[in-house]
Amino acid sequence: SAVISQKPSRDICQRGTSLTIQCQVDSQVTMMFWYRQQPGQSLTLIATANQGSEATYESGFVIDKFPISRPNLTFSTLTVSNMSPEDSSIYLCSVQEVSGTQYFGPGTRLLVL
Amino acid sequence: GNSVTQMEGPVTLSEEAFLTINCTYTATGYPSLFWYVQYPGEGLQLLLKATKADDKGSNKGFEATYRKETTSFHLEKGSVQVSDSAVYFCALSNTGNQFYFGTGTSLTVIP
């Protein structure tokens, strides 16, 4: 299975600022996703990161708030813009292999004050 | 539509007790089913999966059988350890690469 790393692993940010989270995979993958996990909750899909084109966002998530880049098949970034305390969550990237199984990175734990 | 309903937690068990975490699903067609585990402070790890009816997924002493007749994929382990303390997520994948996750069940195993 793919090995996925994320940076930073955690951060504490002030409201109104932005944070960019990086996701690196050790092999080329077509399907890459970004999820949010609010405290004590399940996972919510933010968007599918598409290589070479704009990300596909789920209902309730917009590009201005969560811009995503996917410059190649092993790397993606998610930016959380103009943060508020409600953005405090774990942000997870995942990849889907040909088998249909998704594998997850270790997550980025964000606290917004 | 597609959805996963998971047993409410939290669950607290003594070491060596038997574990069952219930998971039922609603789906069109023939989904694949998964159990993921999230240890404290970590991301989700794939625990086991099953891709068709009557398949049994197993890993680290955990098992789950894909039951199409009851639309269930219950997670079981015969003897839990303290190190099994984590949050367990049931999930399904259907056409279109979309994953649907349950709400998660927190398990605490006490010595």
Side-chain angles (χ1 to χ4, degrees):
Chain A
S1 62
V3 177
I4 305 165
S5 59
Q6 284 184 236
K7 288 196 295 188
S9 59
R10 60 181 65 244
D11 208 341
I12 300 173
C13 299
Q14 297 298 317
R15 69 174 67 208
T17 63
S18 298
L19 176 72
T20 295
I21 302 167
Q22 299 179 5
C23 179
Q24 180 75 54
V25 189
D26 70 341
S27 58
Q28 293 187 339
V29 291
T30 303
M31 306 296 293
M32 187 178 282
F33 306 92
W34 287 98
Y35 288 85
R36 181 174 72 183
Q37 185 181 22
Q38 294 179 303
Q41 303 296 313
S42 187
L43 281 71
T44 301
L45 181 63
I46 297 172
T48 302
N50 300 309
Q51 194 266 327
S53 64
E54 193 172 286
T56 304
Y57 289 86
E58 297 299 307
S59 176
F61 297 95
V62 296
I63 188 171
D64 289 346
K65 176 67 175 176
F66 297 101
I68 289 170
S69 78
R70 179 93 191 269
N72 56 52
L73 292 176
T74 63
F75 185 78
S76 178
T77 66
L78 168 75
T79 299
V80 186
S81 303
N82 188 25
M83 289 184 284
S84 67
E86 292 72 34
D87 294 319
S88 298
S89 292
I90 302 172
Y91 292 86
L92 296 149
C93 72
S94 76
V95 301
Q96 186 159 314
E97 298 193 333
V98 175
S99 66
T101 301
Q102 282 196 18
Y103 295 92
F104 288 82
T108 295
R109 284 148 182 80
L110 172 62
L111 176 62
V112 184
L113 302 178
Chain B
N2 299 292
S3 67
V4 174
T5 301
Q6 199 173 329
M7 173 176 156
E8 296 260 343
V11 175
T12 302
L13 294 173
S14 297
E15 205 165 23
E16 299 184 1
F18 185 85
L19 169 71
T20 300
I21 300 177
N22 290 337
C23 172
T24 58
Y25 68 90
T26 302
T28 54
Y30 303 95
S32 295
L33 301 173
F34 305 83
W35 278 101
Y36 286 86
V37 58
Q38 186 175 33
Y39 297 103
E42 299 185 14
L44 272 70
Q45 298 178 23
L46 177 67
L47 183 58
L48 52 84
K49 70 176 186 180
T51 58
K52 61 183 188 295
D54 300 325
D55 266 2
K56 177 186 284 188
S58 62
N59 186 25
K60 299 181 181 179
F62 291 89
E63 293 183 341
T65 302
Y66 188 161
R67 301 284 189 201
K68 190 166 176 62
E69 63 275 14
T70 54
T71 62
S72 65
F73 192 54
H74 304 321
L75 182 68
E76 297 182 336
K77 186 175 186 182
S79 175
V80 293
Q81 306 300 311
V82 172
S83 57
D84 294 325
S85 298
V87 180
Y88 293 81
F89 291 93
C90 184
L92 76 80
S93 173
N94 216 331
T95 56
N97 300 313
Q98 181 89 343
F99 264 59
Y100 302 85
F101 288 89
T103 52
T105 300
S106 175
L107 170 66
T108 300
V109 180
I110 55 177

